[in-house]
Amino acid sequence: MNKKFEDFDDIIKDRENLSHMPDQKKHQIVSFVKSAIRIVGYIFIPINLIAATVILVVSELVGIVEEMV
């Protein structure tokens, strides 16, 4: 097969796979939310260690959601 046609076939396959790609905008938004939760968790460390732990665990759960969007 001609090299040019092989490249064209690869481009078509890549375009078809775009529908399976994660949504970058949603990923970014969830990432910012996770970072904000983490910052709050770190602020709570000297105030209330249990609350800080809970908040940081929640940020990790948001991190799992982040990888799924």
Side-chain angles (χ1 to χ4, degrees):
M1 187 177 224
N2 189 344
K3 176 69 175 150
K4 288 183 182 180
F5 289 119
E6 287 177 15
D7 290 343
F8 187 71
D9 287 340
D10 288 341
I11 291 170
I12 291 172
K13 288 177 187 174
D14 287 344
R15 287 188 179 166
E16 290 171 351
N17 286 334
L18 284 177
S19 63
H20 302 292
M21 295 294 291
D23 186 342
Q24 293 178 354
K25 187 68 176 172
K26 287 181 184 177
H27 185 87
Q28 181 184 31
I29 291 169
V30 175
S31 179
F32 288 156
V33 169
K34 179 187 71 177
S35 295
I37 294 170
R38 273 195 187 148
I39 291 169
V40 171
Y42 289 128
I43 290 170
F44 265 82
I45 288 175
I47 300 168
N48 185 333
L49 197 54
I50 294 172
T53 303
V54 170
I55 293 168
L56 291 171
V57 168
V58 168
S59 78
E60 291 305 315
L61 294 174
V62 172
I64 293 170
V65 171
E66 173 188 11
E67 295 306 319
M68 295 177 6
V69 292

